Amino acid sequence: MALSNSQYAKIMRDYEERQNATRLLHDERLNEIILKIPEYKILEDEAIEASMKYARSALLNSKEENSVDSPEELRAKIDLIAKQKTLLLEKNGYPGDYLKPVYTCPDCRDTGYIGNEKCHCFKQAIVDLLYSQSNIKEVLKQENFKNFSMDLFSKDDIDPVSNFSSYELMSEALRKAKEFVRKFPHSHENLFFSGKAGLGKTFLSHCIADELLKRGFTVLYLSAPELFDILRNEMISKKGDDQHSTELGRYVITCDLLIIDDLGSEPTTEFTVSELNTCINERLLGGHSTIISSNLDPSQIRDYYGERNFSRIAGLYTFCRFYGTDIRLLKKYTAV
Ligand SMILES: [Zn+2]
């Protein structure tokens, strides 16, 4: 599953549309300002004239015959006009940056590239396109730290294994999740969420994904069966004529954060055991963080995925235990 020409063209078209929208917004705002503040037009014309003179003098690398200003003087004049324009906007009740372009991604100014390198927003666009994560964006509008409520976790429901209440375990998991986000990506930390279904493991991974996507990192969110499907396709395409990794196969290993949801829900085979090991190891070697959530507890990880996977996870993942009543049921009852 590589990025086809038409998929590439689609991403580039999206960037073009974004650039057009930015230009349109700027033009609309400029017209509005010129109508309301006629002096602004005078400054704008002066700025254009000075910029053209500057460009010409820089090109000729000398004073123009008719020009009295050196390139340095022209540069200073351009800067002064820019300041005067900002002050004029502010004096008239507008934000000083009202006419600065509003980019969706300021890092690449909505071009998709920084130099010759694809910008992080381009990489995420590929991830989104290759793997239809369209609905995760919708999910993240609901499932984020802002909407996280500790009220659903009981202080009286005590976990017989750890002796902590459901509330205490969740507070601790929440603290670790926030710390993970705060230190990302420098700590190269990995998390393992263990507990039955419906206790908030997926919600908490969504909270983390939401924060990191907002900060411009590439996040790939996959259920365990989806992950192994991709790795299986990857193996097939490598055996065939095409010796290269698929785009998605590459991102499984190189994206900033990989979230594997519900490990253990897929049928475990020799293939899944060895591929999980490769995936975990390669991501560790690359310094990329991984979050695994699973209904299995660590001892079951040893049974299902063998000693090597177990020792990696036990040694290099921060463990969070979840315990309590299915919050999806609880929400349903409290909503009635
Ligand atoms: Zn960008």
Side-chain angles (χ1 to χ4, degrees):
M1 211 198 300
L3 196 65
S4 69
N5 284 344
S6 67
Q7 285 172 320
Y8 182 83
K10 186 194 172 310
I11 294 178
M12 292 315 287
R13 218 165 34 241
D14 288 347
Y15 280 115
E16 225 167 88
E17 275 168 21
R18 251 179 257 169
Q19 290 169 22
N20 287 340
T22 305
R23 223 170 289 136
L24 201 71
L25 180 70
H26 174 265
D27 291 351
E28 275 172 14
R29 288 184 170 184
L30 184 62
N31 288 337
E32 173 196 347
I33 292 297
I34 288 173
L35 265 176
K36 287 198 179 152
I37 321 168
E39 305 101 284
Y40 194 90
K41 172 83 172 109
I42 300 168
L43 286 176
E44 180 77 2
D45 290 344
E46 277 179 25
I48 293 170
E49 196 192 330
S51 297
M52 281 167 68
K53 275 190 187 165
Y54 177 75
R56 227 172 6 231
S57 70
L59 204 68
L60 298 169
N61 207 14
S62 68
K63 270 192 198 178
E64 270 204 75
E65 280 170 33
N66 303 333
S67 172
V68 286
D69 300 321
S70 68
E72 294 74 31
E73 284 166 331
L74 285 166
R75 183 74 254 170
K77 193 173 179 183
I78 293 167
D79 291 345
L80 180 69
I81 298 173
K83 274 190 200 127
Q84 287 172 329
K85 279 159 77 176
T86 306
L87 284 174
L88 191 60
L89 286 173
E90 285 170 351
K91 213 177 86 188
N92 284 277
Y94 285 95
D97 60 359
Y98 190 62
L99 290 170
K100 293 245 164 72
V102 185
Y103 297 113
T104 309
C105 175
D107 295 339
C108 65
R109 301 177 163 210
D110 295 342
T111 60
Y113 281 86
I114 300 174
N116 290 328
E117 290 285 313
K118 283 188 186 116
C119 180
H120 56 82
C121 66
F122 197 122
K123 291 179 185 169
Q124 189 62 42
I126 294 174
V127 168
D128 288 351
L129 194 69
L130 288 181
Y131 194 76
S132 57
Q133 294 198 309
S134 45
N135 88 357
I136 191 151
K137 297 248 160 90
E138 285 306 307
V139 171
L140 296 185
K141 284 183 190 161
Q142 299 302 322
E143 306 204 342
N144 51 53
F145 280 124
K146 239 183 7 210
N147 290 344
F148 192 94
S149 166
M150 284 299 298
D151 297 345
L152 292 166
F153 303 93
S154 161
K155 291 181 179 170
D156 304 321
D157 199 358
I158 307 294
D159 168 24
V161 175
S162 67
N163 271 331
F164 288 112
S165 70
S166 158
Y167 184 92
E168 284 168 319
L169 286 172
M170 196 50 177
S171 306
E172 183 59 8
L174 185 61
R175 189 189 64 75
K176 285 175 180 165
K178 287 188 172 169
E179 189 172 88
F180 176 87
V181 168
R182 199 172 53 246
K183 293 184 177 167
F184 196 90
H186 307 293
S187 64
H188 308 289
E189 201 187 352
N190 306 287
L191 299 175
F192 186 83
F193 293 166
S194 165
K196 280 188 299 186
L199 298 179
K201 302 191 300 293
T202 303
F203 197 112
L204 202 55
S205 358
H206 282 157
C207 295
I208 294 172
D210 178 56
E211 287 297 317
L212 297 184
L213 282 170
K214 278 196 280 198
R215 277 167 52 191
F217 293 106
T218 47
V219 177
L220 189 54
Y221 191 100
L222 298 168
S223 71
E226 288 164 343
L227 170 75
F228 291 114
D229 273 352
I230 292 168
L231 297 175
R232 202 168 285 113
N233 287 336
E234 178 79 354
M235 194 180 67
I236 294 166
S237 86
K238 274 188 178 168
K239 270 187 186 163
D241 299 337
D242 182 10
Q243 295 293 310
H244 301 290
S245 292
T246 61
E247 200 94 38
L248 197 51
R250 227 178 358 254
Y251 281 126
V252 165
I253 304 302
T254 62
C255 64
D256 296 320
L257 174 66
L258 172 69
I259 301 176
I260 307 172
D261 196 26
D262 221 358
L263 185 72
S265 61
E266 78 294 342
T268 33
T269 62
E270 231 173 86
F271 172 82
T272 57
V273 170
S274 89
E275 284 302 306
L276 180 68
N277 192 253
T278 309
C279 177
I280 286 180
N281 279 342
E282 288 195 23
R283 289 192 58 80
L284 284 170
L285 282 173
H288 307 302
S289 295
T290 308
I291 297 176
I292 298 176
S293 80
S294 178
N295 293 358
L296 306 174
D297 63 40
S299 67
Q300 289 172 305
I301 289 286
R302 181 187 266 136
D303 299 340
Y304 280 60
Y305 297 98
E307 190 61 38
R308 280 198 303 167
N309 280 311
F310 170 74
S311 74
R312 283 279 180 273
I313 292 172
L316 297 164
Y317 280 59
T318 305
F319 182 70
C320 300
R321 184 172 166 82
F322 293 68
Y323 176 81
T325 313
D326 189 327
I327 56 169
R328 289 170 302 189
L329 290 177
L330 229 122
K331 267 186 184 171
K332 213 157 120 189
Y333 291 139
T334 46
V336 177

